[in-house]
Amino acid sequence: MRKTATTILVLIICMASVFADGWIGLGSGVDFGWIFEDDNNPSSSTMNIPVSVMGAYYFNDTIGLAFDAGMGIPMLEKEGEAPYEEVRNKDYSFVSSIAFMLKGDLSDTLLVEGGLGLGFECLLDRMESLSAFSYMLSAQGRIGIGVILGEHFTLRLGAMADLPFLGSATFLPEESEGLFGSINQFKLFGAGVHAYLGLGYAY
């Protein structure tokens, strides 16, 4: 998972160095996620704090791509009707997304933007007797505003909505190199909402 995260971060930095009209910076926020009950799984929900490298490149005044990659810090979780509890085993997840964007300038210093894309999240969850590696793909929509701060800085504020549609989990025993059980491909029925704030360098 670390190699995958490093590779994606390097690609994003390379993209930012090649493109000539966009911004790149750091962002954080609050991420709420829900997986709804079905025949195989009970309902569950989580609250994470994401910290990401984020940015965008616009091909012209209207059309572009937004991207981000970073980690999610788990804070609270619940299952079924139980109350929220603090996450004791804080295994950080790797999160990233890419989206096709449209933007419009409201003034010389204020813009509005929105788009559709894909989100990706993977997690190595260490438990007492085994570990579980899982990933999840989501359809994503986002909307936000940008504030131009001088010549080279920009402030981004907005929200993303996620609809997970595919995931996979692999279970590994703690004291063996072999697989425990089998890889489980599964579909998900859930939702996520992520409010974000980012400060970036415009290039």
Side-chain angles (χ1 to χ4, degrees), residues 95-136:
V95 293
S96 65
S97 66
I98 187 167
F100 175 80
M101 301 292 290
L102 297 175
K103 76 176 179 74
D105 295 326
L106 300 179
S107 68
D108 292 338
T109 58
L110 186 65
L111 61 89
V112 61
E113 57 190 355
L116 299 173
L118 289 174
F120 173 78
E121 179 177 2
C122 63
L123 169 68
L124 180 60
D125 188 7
R126 297 180 178 89
M127 294 170 275
E128 291 184 1
S129 58
L130 54 84
S131 296
F133 175 77
S134 61
Y135 74 82
M136 182 172 63

Side-chain angles (χ1 to χ4, degrees), residues 35-36 38 41 135-138 163-168 186-190:
I35 299 299
F36 304 135
D38 59 23
N41 300 290
Y135 74 82
M136 182 172 63
L137 291 174
S138 302
L163 294 176
F165 61 87
L166 181 64
S168 176
F186 55 92
K187 293 183 179 180
L188 299 172
F189 180 49

